[in-house]
Amino acid sequence: MISQSQPPSPPVAKKVKHEMELFGDVRVDNYYWLRDDSRKNPEVISYLQEENAYTEAKMSGTKKFEDEIYAEIRGRIKEDDISAPLRKGPYYYYTRTLEGKEYVQYCRRLVPNRDAPPSVNDTMPTGPDAPAEHVILDENVKAQEYDFYRIGAFKVSPNHKLAAYAEDTKGDEIYTVYVIDAETRAVVGKPLVGVTSYLEWAGNEALVYITMDAILRPDKVWLHKLGSEQSSDSCLYHEKDDMFSLDLGASESEKFLFIASESKITRFVFYLEVSKPEDGLRVLTPRINGIDTSVSHRGNHFFIQRRSDEFFNSELLACPVDNTSETTVLIPHRASVKIQDIQLFSDHLVVYEREQGLPTITTYRLPAVDEPLITLQGGQAVQFIDPVYLVGQSESQFSTNILRFSYSSLRTPPCVYDYDMSTGESVLKKIETVLGGFDASNYVTERKWATASDGTQIPISIVHQKNLVKLDGSDPMLLYGYGSYEICIDPDFKASRLSLLDRGFIFAIAHIRGGGEMGRQWYENGKFLKKKNTFTDFIACAEFLIEKKYCSKEKLCIEGRSAGGLLIGAVLNMRPDLFKAAVAGVPFVDVLTTMLDPSIPLTTSEWEEWGDPRKEEFYFYMKSYSPVDNVQAQNYPNILVTAGLHDPRVMYSEPAKFVAKLRDMKTDGNDLLFKCELSAGHFSKSGRFERLQEDAMTYAFILKALDMIPTSGSAQN
């Protein structure tokens, strides 16, 4: 062991008293000065740089080990690879990654035998006799000039002649849209600036896109005719209510674009006929408070997924295109099954549902287009192999009977399947290659249920390497959680996680209330004045795992990002004794101050998620769990906090304040590290290998906290 004579001392943020008073309650925020909306204040940047330097110094003794983990993680990746090609019109479309390159290429090849009907057994020909590969866009070339580069949308025109893409070069999620000739890559017209990544073609000569207001709320939808100036684009709709944001999508039939205006509990939809964009928007589902609708189109009918307080898990309706008020129920509401999504084909309907916390896919054959649509018959369920898994929707071709979907589990790498809805035949089109001797049969995955404080059963997904784990309480564990926005954190595969599993870790996901894993009520019971269920559920899962000897307090590490970072901050204040180490990524930890400030992006639309603290009941409830407001003079475990300077979703100053206050008040000598990416946003760095470095650092931090780093040449601070 090499010892460092002078351990680095942590930065101390200066205190500037800032008082905030509401309902006779005075809060003092000594670190309010860390918020700088311009992100250019030299004093603030200097403090963030000091924190980064301190983190680097504290981790310097384990840098060699961190580099080994990075090499190990990267060594599992097949760097030169392509996605599962998708046949669209005369081409196969796919993305390609190249050895040593951070970003993807968007490619296509001509389909040799275009007259043959598509089949699940189609394969794209390669080799010297195959049609040549054409690179439409190479992100690696575009990214050369920037520290951050992300394409948020890539859309080829219906006639396959042009491609439009939305580019973010800062991480602030404000995009520029370029249109290029798909063959020559020549830029067509001037770019659209200051827009979102919501982008669709309206025929071959026009685009529909969305822009944001001053608080980055998507509020206006525009029609842009190619070749015209952006300043002359026509505004199709302006949503003035700051609780609502706009969304944009295309029907699978490509006949309509759907523009939705949505809050957290209400969603209503307009449609635009692609062949007649000059006719403007028409109302499809009216604006009714508490009613949430999503729509699709096939033939003479719109299909409407509708949720309300009464039908909380959604029902599926259909209505004639020429009479949208005449609805027929195709799938009634069920209290135990949630309709998650639907996908339409010329002859089939696919319904994505959730039951008992697991996703399902059911396919239905539809009557001919000119026949009445009254009931659905003979649903066929797609079968899956793992006890817990993730199923995702993939782009499929409307005029075929081939459903494409993605699948993975905690031990199964991401797969793409083509499923013939007429025959039930399922063909694996692609499985992510995991190098380095990976064998899925070495891993065990299971589901357990913890009992929450109010008796609710909370599902937990678990994976471990069957030959390394003793299940006697001595194994290290990483427990992950989220629990907000009705988002489902389904158990999927992550190749970098093998670096923990192959060191004897157990990995678990707590599917706590506030998420959507168990249906709409699961979400409702973890928001507003029931938000604390999210935190107590997570603590109950931790206690269950300790009780069942999956780990011990001394070996239990926890992680969450964004709203999951709020979870981590809250449980650290509530039960710091329960955990050995915690990782809070871009954490939403200054809940009360942020939600009282409508000038901050997302605040107004989030009042329906967290509550509006301008109302006394919500103010005091939110104050009782907001992590920054509840830091105490007590011992905390080892903590790593991350942030992105340009993050529009969770301002960097929230985690910065949380760390500063913890440094000032905590009574232990455990590590508290803060890493702020100065050229990234909410989703960290943009390159695929750069992101792996964050995983390597996180794992090194966890292993260091558990004293599991080999002593060979790795000094520890």
Side-chain angles (χ1 to χ4, degrees):
M1 290 286 289
I2 306 163
S3 64
Q4 289 196 340
S5 54
Q6 192 71 45
S9 35
V12 177
K14 72 173 183 183
K15 290 184 179 180
V16 179
K17 191 173 183 181
H18 178 85
E19 288 191 354
M20 298 169 281
E21 184 177 351
L22 194 60
F23 305 119
D25 179 59
V26 179
R27 290 182 304 135
V28 177
D29 184 349
N30 290 319
Y31 306 106
Y32 191 85
W33 67 273
L34 281 167
R35 175 182 166 186
D36 166 39
D37 291 8
S38 76
R39 293 162 171 82
K40 289 176 182 164
N41 180 314
E43 193 176 16
V44 172
I45 298 295
S46 170
Y47 171 71
L48 297 175
Q49 287 169 334
E50 277 180 53
E51 284 284 3
N52 284 347
Y54 173 68
T55 294
E56 199 171 317
K58 286 292 285 183
M59 294 296 288
S60 63
T62 52
K63 187 73 176 88
K64 179 168 179 257
F65 177 71
E66 186 183 317
D67 292 344
E68 285 167 17
I69 289 197
Y70 172 72
E72 187 179 289
I73 293 172
R74 186 163 172 172
R76 293 192 194 98
I77 293 174
K78 184 175 187 291
E79 294 192 12
D80 183 359
D81 204 1
I82 70 165
S83 64
L86 179 68
R87 181 173 165 179
K88 288 170 75 169
Y91 295 98
Y92 285 108
Y93 285 88
Y94 53 98
T95 57
R96 178 182 287 287
T97 51
L98 303 173
E99 190 167 340
K101 299 287 190 183
E102 293 277 6
Y103 299 96
V104 303
Q105 297 177 324
Y106 295 84
C107 308
R108 71 182 182 190
R109 280 177 202 261
L110 281 166
V111 175
N113 184 6
R114 263 167 271 168
D115 299 329
S119 150
V120 290
N121 295 305
D122 282 349
T123 53
M124 180 179 76
T126 54
D129 301 329
E133 173 174 279
H134 175 67
V135 178
I136 304 170
L137 182 72
D138 188 341
E139 284 188 12
N140 297 291
V141 175
K142 298 285 176 189
Q144 282 172 351
E145 302 165 47
Y146 307 102
D147 291 332
F148 180 97
Y149 190 83
R150 180 168 187 268
I151 286 183
F154 178 84
K155 308 268 177 167
V156 176
S157 60
N159 64 7
H160 303 274
K161 291 185 174 172
L162 302 172
Y165 65 94
E167 171 185 280
D168 172 10
T169 58
K170 274 176 76 178
D172 58 6
E173 299 176 51
I174 299 170
Y175 291 84
T176 302
V177 168
Y178 296 88
V179 177
I180 56 172
D181 183 296
E183 276 301 313
T184 66
R185 297 189 278 268
V187 175
V188 175
K190 291 182 184 171
L192 304 172
V193 298
V195 304
T196 67
S197 62
Y198 296 117
L199 179 68
E200 295 290 352
W201 285 95
N204 294 305
E205 292 165 11
L207 289 166
V208 173
Y209 65 94
I210 290 176
T211 57
M212 297 179 281
D213 64 9
I215 57 166
L216 305 186
R217 177 181 65 91
D219 72 324
K220 287 180 183 161
V221 60
W222 302 84
L223 177 68
H224 171 73
K225 291 193 167 65
L226 295 190
S228 64
E229 295 286 328
Q230 186 175 356
S231 56
S232 65
D233 290 350
S234 56
C235 181
L236 298 173
Y237 181 69
H238 178 197
E239 180 51 80
K240 294 175 181 169
D241 186 334
D242 63 10
M243 298 279 278
F244 283 75
S245 299
L246 297 182
D247 188 12
L248 168 67
S251 67
E252 293 95 338
S253 65
E254 299 184 350
K255 299 246 187 308
F256 295 94
L257 297 184
F258 298 120
I259 288 91
S261 181
E262 58 186 7
S263 72
K264 292 285 184 286
I265 60 169
T266 303
R267 191 174 194 271
F268 58 100
V269 182
F270 304 91
Y271 66 93
L272 180 78
E273 199 165 344
V274 167
S275 61
K276 300 186 236 171
E278 62 283 352
D279 287 0
L281 301 189
R282 295 184 189 168
V283 174
L284 177 48
T285 55
R287 179 179 191 143
I288 304 170
N289 190 50
I291 305 286
D292 179 313
T293 54
S294 302
V295 293
S296 300
H297 165 261
R298 175 253 187 190
N300 305 326
H301 290 87
F302 290 123
F303 287 64
I304 303 168
Q305 190 181 323
R306 181 169 70 182
R307 184 195 57 71
S308 65
D309 285 348
E310 185 185 357
F311 300 136
F312 51 83
N313 274 336
S314 299
E315 56 182 350
L316 182 63
L317 317 169
C319 67
V321 168
D322 55 10
N323 184 5
T324 57
S325 59
E326 184 194 308
T327 58
T328 303
V329 176
L330 297 179
I331 301 178
H333 173 260
R334 292 146 298 163
S336 61
V337 182
K338 179 187 174 193
I339 300 175
Q340 192 91 0
D341 216 338
I342 68 162
Q343 197 171 353
L344 278 167
F345 294 79
S346 51
D347 297 318
H348 291 87
L349 162 71
V350 180
V351 185
Y352 296 82
E353 294 169 318
R354 300 191 73 85
E355 187 168 14
Q356 278 296 97
L358 295 175
T360 62
I361 300 179
T362 309
T363 66
Y364 297 89
R365 185 160 187 89
L366 294 171
V369 164
D370 50 3
E371 289 179 19
L373 187 57
I374 300 162
T375 57
L376 293 177
Q377 312 224 295
Q380 170 114 359
V382 181
Q383 301 300 315
F384 306 110
I385 47 177
D386 293 290
V388 288
Y389 53 86
L390 166 75
V391 168
Q393 207 173 325
S394 285
E395 187 181 355
S396 306
Q397 292 314 288
F398 177 73
S399 57
T400 70
N401 56 2
I402 301 168
L403 166 69
R404 172 164 287 191
F405 64 87
S406 60
Y407 175 88
S408 80
S409 79
L410 290 169
R411 66 172 182 191
T412 309
C415 306
V416 174
Y417 284 93
D418 278 353
Y419 177 82
D420 188 318
M421 292 181 282
S422 299
T423 66
E425 182 186 5
S426 196
V427 176
L428 177 66
K429 305 307 285 186
K430 165 89 181 165
I431 181 163
E432 186 180 290
T433 303
V434 182
L435 303 175
F438 169 75
D439 180 351
S441 67
N442 287 333
Y443 302 86
V444 176
T445 175
E446 59 182 338
R447 182 162 68 161
K448 295 290 182 186
W449 300 81
T451 305
S453 45
D454 62 1
T456 303
Q457 295 292 294
I458 315 295
I460 308 172
S461 299
I462 300 171
V463 65
H464 59 81
Q465 221 275 31
K466 67 182 180 189
N467 303 316
L468 295 178
V469 164
K470 303 181 210 54
L471 297 178
D472 62 358
S474 67
D475 302 304
M477 172 176 262
L478 178 59
L479 176 62
Y480 189 90
Y482 188 77
S484 289
Y485 300 115
E486 205 179 357
I487 287 172
C488 305
I489 304 295
D490 280 321
D492 65 345
F493 186 84
K494 188 177 177 185
S496 59
R497 196 185 291 139
L498 296 172
S499 288
L500 291 181
L501 298 180
D502 291 350
R503 285 176 172 81
F505 267 77
I506 300 171
F507 175 77
I509 302 168
H511 303 288
I512 49 188
R513 282 175 285 184
E517 288 92 337
M518 299 280 285
R520 178 74 181 188
Q521 297 291 72
W522 201 248
Y523 165 59
E524 299 279 2
N525 288 330
K527 65 180 285 201
F528 280 162
L529 299 171
K530 296 179 181 173
K531 186 64 210 168
K532 286 187 196 172
N533 283 339
T534 302
F535 316 135
T536 53
D537 283 0
F538 190 82
I539 289 167
C541 289
E543 290 177 328
F544 168 85
L545 292 163
I546 291 167
E547 180 199 337
K548 296 296 180 190
K549 299 212 177 312
Y550 282 94
C551 64
S552 64
K553 289 182 184 182
E554 293 70 40
K555 295 289 184 75
L556 178 55
C557 306
I558 56 174
E559 183 182 9
R561 286 182 56 85
S562 195
L566 159 64
L567 163 73
I568 299 303
V571 300
L572 282 174
N573 286 331
M574 293 163 76
R575 286 296 305 279
D577 61 299
L578 204 49
F579 316 108
K580 182 67 177 177
V583 179
V586 292
F588 173 45
V589 280
D590 196 12
V591 180
L592 201 49
T593 303
T594 294
M595 297 310 296
L596 281 166
D597 187 347
S599 75
I600 294 178
L602 299 182
T603 291
T604 53
S605 63
E606 301 274 300
W607 283 329
E608 287 184 351
E609 176 75 27
W610 312 102
D612 182 350
R614 298 174 305 176
K615 297 171 182 162
E616 187 169 355
E617 185 180 22
F618 282 111
Y619 174 91
F620 285 105
Y621 186 78
M622 292 161 80
K623 184 188 176 189
S624 73
Y625 70 74
S626 172
V628 164
D629 291 288
N630 288 280
V631 172
Q632 297 165 50
Q634 61 182 357
N635 285 356
Y636 283 87
N638 298 280
I639 302 171
L640 169 64
V641 179
T642 65
L645 183 62
H646 299 287
D647 189 339
R649 295 166 185 254
V650 176
M651 197 178 277
Y652 75 89
S653 53
E654 292 198 34
K657 282 195 224 181
F658 184 54
V659 169
K661 194 167 179 183
L662 276 169
R663 282 217 202 291
D664 181 50
M665 294 188 72
K666 74 191 190 85
T667 52
D668 59 85
N670 291 325
D671 282 348
L672 171 59
L673 305 183
F674 180 43
K675 185 169 171 55
C676 182
E677 293 293 349
L678 299 177
S679 55
H682 193 65
F683 300 105
S684 185
K685 291 185 172 178
S686 52
R688 59 176 175 150
F689 303 131
E690 291 176 320
R691 283 197 295 271
L692 299 181
Q693 282 170 326
E694 185 170 307
D695 285 343
M697 187 218 168
T698 300
Y699 295 167
F701 170 81
I702 289 170
L703 288 155
K704 179 182 178 214
L706 294 174
D707 202 20
M708 285 179 66
I709 292 185
T711 54
S712 54
S714 295
Q716 294 191 37
N717 293 317

